[in-house]
Amino acid sequence: MSWLTTVDHKRIGLMYLWSVLTAFLLGGLFALALRLELLTPKEDFMTAETYNKVFTLHGAVMVFLFIIPAIPAALGNFVLPLMLGAKDVAFPRLNLASYYVYMTGAIMALTAILTGGIDTGWTFYTPYSTTTGGAVTLMTFSVFVLGFSSIFTGINFVATVHKLRAPGMGWFDLPLFVWGTYATAIIQVLATPVLAITLLLLAFERMFQIGIFDAKLGGDPVLFQHFFWFYSHPAVYIMILPGMAIISEIIPTFSKKHIFGYRAIAFSSVAIALISFIVWGHHMFTSGQSQLAAVIFSFLTFLVAIPSGIKVFNWVATMYRGSIALDTPMLYAISFLLLFTIGGLTGIFLGALSVDIHLHDTYFIVAHFHYVMMGGTVIAFLAGVHYWWPKMFGRMYNETWARIGCLLVFIGFNVTFLNQFAMGAKGMPRRYYSYLDQFQGNHIGSTVGSWILALGLFIAAGVLMASLRKKYDAPDNPWGSKTMEWETQSPPITHNFPNNPVMLHGPYDYNEPVVRREA
Amino acid sequence: MSSHTLPAPGDTHGHDDHGHHDPNLQHHFVEMAQQFDTAKLGMWLFLATEILMFGGLFVGFGLQQAKFPEAFKAAHHHLDRSMGALNTVVLLISSFTMVLAVWAAQTGKRKVLITNLALTLVCAGTFLVVKFFEYSHKIHEGLLPGKFFHYAHGQPNEYIFFSFYFMMTGLHGSHVILGMGAITWLLIRAIKGDFGPGYYTPVDLVGLFWHLVDLIWIYLFPLLYLIG
């Protein structure tokens, strides 16, 4: 019972962790069902309408219930105050409220799924979303509510980083995870309210025909797309920035080397946050915006590649001549490097105007954003879960099986989505439950890949769950890391540190010899 | 314990969570000033979200007005300028009494605080009463959008003006009601004597929120009532 009223950031983080993992399981089962239906070109066990509902739910559950809260609200909540040497986040009660608001939104989403479903795609484009049946209005309100939980977390993190750093900890002594989640929190605070008003207008449109997005009444359906992407493009960076932030912790820890280009990585997080607000038009190259706007948005989109490239090169440079230990978190981090690079580079294809006309609404774009969202964010999330698991639960997991899980995830992921790049480039459109026979080879490959991926994820889950049956066996600092969360015991005591911590060395000072304690 | 964490100066026996300091100080802050600054930063961030939320409506309104300037001009003649102006004055006065309330809390003048909070509430209530009369007049004319809309005269795109009018003033009105709730809560705590020079954070924060509600109206009034 004490968990339900706790204001301890660690417990709230863990409650978020179990909740987002449940959402991940749900969204994942939807994905497996979709892939199974696509095994053959004909209708197997889903009608076209069911298929539309299932892909909408896969997208909406994964985006709004899993990826957006996954790293900031679950791992960030647990780790961020510890990294700062703080006793809690700035507003502990607001933090708890954020969790309850999230749960309210999740229950509304589930109700919407069970009472009619949604077939609009997770983007709720008008005019289809204002005319189709089903539980679109309820789902809209659910996402509206979930947005508040995201805003609360964002406000909390910005205030915490500004005001609760340990004595002696300046801005450039912060671990890069903190920089990444700080940049994320800024986007959460500044972008989510625009989604809120957009969804409110959409709900009113459905309930009262206010006509703001309805061309018949003088409104403008493209305005909805502008509003939606003004939030949802920055939201993509709400998803990836904390992933990058985790990688920036794991790579120096397992290379036993000071991070290369600390300030460049820190500022590139902020740069990505800022640029994220001025690129939304690249989702609308075929929606009838002006040629000039399209050219400008295309150019601005290319700018994102610069800070992203800076990060990737700095991570690789950190590994160069490092003393690399291939523990599970590092294996996930290396997977991230490969997969995110593919996802990022294919993003440049899509940002180029003429190429995008060919690739728009094909499987190429599905593969691209899965390489960034799953190959990037989810892999980084898994890296973070494996990295901080000993700290969060005080137990070590079976390293061998965890590595096997990681390997299967990596192989399964590539088999699933490389096939989708191939068929997308050949013209297979997204969101179809049926297709021409010529695409079946790639579809079979993709479906088989999804099974390998699922097997890997279930092994990873099984390994982690199995560790919970043991007694506490994790040392304070199993990986020999230098950041502050490893200075307290595993799992940490209620108020985090026995004494008020003071910053004595930087988060990546691996120059002094480190003795690695084996579990 | 590694060399990384050392006891902070003046805190050699660890932090005492239930010690002899200010009862309003939460356990994770070192001192009241830090707690106050943090709370204020949080409030400003929240106000930023409010501005962006209304910002979407302002942008949408601007775009539609640029598209149908004549219809918007014709539609806005249905609004009662004198009532809008009256409400502007009422809200400006309420902001003034709110400032006085914050000052009274800071200086420990409990009666002045209670009086000014009550006056602010009266002004907010007046605003809503005036708004109620404006709304009922519009609804009577058939200008409420959706299935209620049955105003047959005028230009074809006046409809969309009223959609924005009701969305914007409705969202603003709901903020006025929220603000009244917050001020009532302050009033109850002020009567209990919770605030003084040592602790007035809630009064300060609700004050900030109330000024924003006022400020948004200051923009809404010319935007909607004074076109052309």
Side-chain angles (χ1 to χ4, degrees):
Chain A
M1 273 310 285
S2 64
W3 280 76
L4 295 178
T5 53
T6 183
V7 289
D8 181 351
H9 69 98
K10 298 184 289 299
R11 287 185 161 193
I12 295 170
L14 292 182
M15 292 196 291
Y16 257 121
L17 183 65
W18 295 119
S19 309
V20 299
L21 286 174
T22 311
F24 184 46
L25 178 66
L26 185 66
L29 292 176
F30 284 133
L32 286 173
L34 292 171
R35 283 312 327 162
L36 193 59
E37 168 60 37
L38 290 168
L39 199 57
T40 69
K42 61 179 184 8
E43 179 180 313
D44 295 315
F45 66 100
M46 273 189 223
T47 61
E49 288 77 25
T50 317
Y51 183 85
N52 287 353
K53 284 183 180 170
V54 175
F55 80 64
T56 301
L57 295 175
H58 166 67
V61 168
M62 284 299 199
V63 169
F64 296 115
L65 289 174
F66 171 61
I67 292 195
I68 287 183
I71 298 177
L75 298 178
N77 240 327
F78 194 98
V79 175
L80 182 97
L82 288 166
M83 282 185 156
L84 297 173
K87 286 201 183 71
D88 208 321
V89 290
F91 311 115
R93 277 175 297 178
L94 187 69
N95 202 17
L96 183 65
S98 139
Y99 180 71
Y100 279 110
V101 170
Y102 169 84
M103 285 311 286
T104 310
I107 290 166
M108 288 167 76
L110 278 179
T111 316
I113 291 170
L114 296 174
T115 60
I118 309 101
D119 63 349
T120 60
W122 74 279
T123 51
F124 308 116
Y125 269 15
T126 55
Y128 186 68
S129 60
T130 53
T131 48
T132 181
V136 178
T137 311
L138 183 59
M139 191 69 187
T140 310
F141 277 117
S142 149
V143 175
F144 179 81
V145 169
L146 289 170
F148 278 97
S149 113
S150 185
I151 288 176
F152 290 168
T153 305
I155 289 178
N156 234 326
F157 282 8
V158 173
T160 307
V161 175
H162 273 272
K163 298 292 179 190
L164 290 179
R165 303 193 302 273
M169 190 184 272
W171 280 90
F172 294 110
D173 302 317
L174 294 176
L176 287 164
F177 180 78
V178 176
W179 273 98
T181 33
Y182 178 78
T184 310
I186 297 272
I187 307 178
Q188 284 178 303
V189 170
L190 295 183
T192 318
V194 179
L195 179 72
I197 191 66
T198 311
L199 294 172
L200 207 59
L201 289 174
L202 179 61
F204 273 68
E205 181 91 51
R206 275 182 73 87
M207 293 187 299
F208 307 113
Q209 293 82 45
I210 56 171
I212 287 173
F213 300 132
D214 185 349
K216 274 206 302 294
L217 297 169
D220 188 352
V222 179
L223 183 65
F224 176 86
Q225 296 188 21
H226 278 291
F227 276 172
F228 182 82
W229 289 114
F230 183 86
Y231 164 76
S232 291
H233 196 78
V236 172
Y237 298 99
I238 293 178
M239 305 174 202
I240 193 68
L241 272 172
M244 294 168 155
I246 289 175
I247 301 305
S248 301
E249 293 305 318
I250 290 178
I251 286 189
T253 299
F254 291 91
S255 305
K256 289 289 161 280
K257 229 177 118 220
H258 194 287
I259 187 97
F260 186 88
Y262 174 91
R263 286 187 187 221
I265 295 181
F267 285 130
S268 64
S269 293
V270 180
I272 289 175
L274 295 178
I275 296 171
S276 75
F277 282 99
I278 49 174
V279 298
W280 79 88
H282 68 217
H283 294 272
M284 302 168 59
F285 285 158
T286 60
S287 299
Q289 67 183 351
S290 76
Q291 286 290 318
L292 179 66
V295 169
I296 291 171
F297 277 124
S298 171
F299 174 75
L300 292 171
T301 301
F302 291 150
L303 286 184
V304 185
I306 298 171
S308 310
I310 287 174
K311 281 178 187 286
V312 172
F313 288 126
N314 279 328
W315 291 324
V316 176
T318 305
M319 288 169 68
Y320 177 67
R321 302 191 70 176
S323 167
I324 295 173
L326 290 176
D327 294 293
T328 313
M330 186 62 167
L331 286 182
Y332 277 110
I334 294 170
S335 308
F336 173 95
L337 279 182
L338 296 168
L339 302 177
F340 174 73
T341 303
I342 296 174
L345 287 175
T346 50
I348 301 204
F349 302 3
L350 294 165
L353 280 173
S354 52
V355 185
D356 183 68
I357 302 300
H358 175 67
L359 296 173
H360 187 84
D361 262 348
T362 67
Y363 265 72
F364 191 91
I365 203 153
V366 177
H368 156 69
F369 69 70
H370 278 91
Y371 262 87
V372 180
M373 296 292 90
M374 174 134 198
T377 309
V378 178
I379 295 287
F381 172 71
L382 291 171
V385 168
H386 283 86
Y387 179 57
W388 283 303
W389 190 267
K391 182 55 65 185
M392 290 190 288
F393 296 101
R395 282 111 165 168
M396 303 304 291
Y397 45 81
N398 183 312
E399 189 65 40
T400 313
W401 278 101
R403 286 182 197 179
I404 292 171
C406 174
L407 191 70
L408 286 173
V409 167
F410 182 77
I411 294 169
F413 177 84
N414 280 302
V415 174
T416 309
F417 291 104
L418 278 177
N419 273 303
Q420 297 192 6
F421 272 132
M423 62 181 145
K426 287 185 280 185
M428 170 74 207
R430 68 191 284 200
R431 294 180 169 169
Y432 278 54
Y433 85 116
S434 168
Y435 50 84
L436 299 176
D437 290 337
Q438 70 202 64
F439 296 117
Q440 196 177 8
N442 285 130
H443 270 299
I444 291 175
S446 187
T447 302
V448 171
S450 74
W451 296 337
I452 304 173
L453 179 55
L455 178 66
L457 288 171
F458 279 118
I459 289 177
V463 170
L464 294 175
M465 292 306 127
S467 78
L468 294 181
R469 299 165 65 91
K470 298 191 293 179
K471 286 202 175 69
Y472 287 155
D473 66 344
D476 292 354
N477 191 0
W479 319 118
S481 180
K482 289 286 183 179
T483 44
M484 234 180 226
E485 77 271 28
W486 302 103
E487 301 293 336
T488 184
Q489 66 190 59
S490 305
I493 55 172
T494 310
H495 286 163
N496 293 350
F497 298 95
N499 297 310
N500 282 355
V502 176
M503 180 96 188
L504 293 179
H505 59 70
Y508 307 109
D509 283 346
Y510 289 100
N511 301 334
E512 50 188 286
V514 173
V515 181
R516 187 174 156 175
R517 278 177 278 182
E518 290 299 332
Chain B
M1 187 55 44
S2 87
S3 62
H4 198 121
T5 52
L6 283 181
D11 194 26
T12 44
H13 48 73
H15 190 70
D16 183 0
D17 288 305
H18 309 286
H20 33 72
H21 49 231
D22 194 315
N24 289 307
L25 182 66
Q26 290 177 283
H27 79 274
H28 56 297
F29 292 109
V30 178
E31 49 176 18
M32 286 304 279
Q34 184 195 19
Q35 178 173 315
F36 177 74
D37 287 350
T38 310
K40 204 146 178 171
L41 177 64
M43 194 66 202
W44 277 109
L45 288 165
F46 175 68
L47 297 187
T49 70
E50 292 281 18
I51 289 168
L52 277 149
M53 184 154 149
F54 277 96
L57 283 171
F58 278 94
V59 169
F61 182 88
L63 287 169
Q64 296 293 338
Q65 193 189 3
K67 215 155 130 194
F68 312 116
E70 291 309 314
F72 271 49
K73 203 168 168 179
H76 100 287
H77 287 304
H78 291 281
L79 306 186
D80 189 330
R81 282 187 186 185
S82 51
M83 279 188 156
L86 172 66
N87 259 348
T88 309
V89 173
V90 166
L91 275 192
L92 280 173
I93 293 172
S94 78
S95 254
F96 179 67
T97 53
M98 194 70 223
V99 172
L100 288 181
V102 174
W103 167 78
Q106 285 168 344
T107 48
K109 298 181 171 59
R110 186 164 149 257
K111 276 190 178 155
V112 183
L113 172 63
I114 293 169
T115 314
N116 277 295
L117 287 175
L119 283 175
T120 312
L121 269 183
V122 169
C123 287
T126 312
F127 177 90
L128 287 179
V129 169
V130 173
K131 203 77 224 156
F132 170 78
F133 283 115
E134 281 191 82
Y135 273 175
S136 37
H137 182 64
K138 305 258 165 347
I139 293 166
H140 184 70
E141 278 190 88
L143 293 169
L144 190 65
K147 60 181 179 223
F148 312 102
F149 196 87
H150 53 80
Y151 182 77
H153 324 287
Q155 305 223 8
N157 289 311
E158 289 187 29
Y159 186 94
I160 205 83
F161 174 88
F162 287 103
S163 294
F164 274 106
Y165 169 79
F166 280 105
M167 280 307 294
M168 292 169 107
T169 55
L171 192 63
H172 176 262
S174 64
H175 279 75
V176 173
I177 294 169
L178 277 177
M180 287 176 77
I183 295 167
T184 310
W185 171 68
L186 287 184
L187 194 57
I188 294 165
R189 288 193 66 180
I191 291 167
K192 283 199 276 183
D194 282 358
F195 305 123
Y199 180 68
Y200 54 88
T201 314
V203 189
D204 208 78
L205 299 189
V206 173
L208 280 176
F209 177 76
W210 190 251
H211 295 321
L212 183 85
V213 172
D214 186 13
L215 188 69
I216 288 170
W217 180 257
I218 302 290
Y219 281 92
L220 285 179
F221 174 58
L223 194 71
L224 297 168
Y225 289 75
L226 305 178
I227 301 175

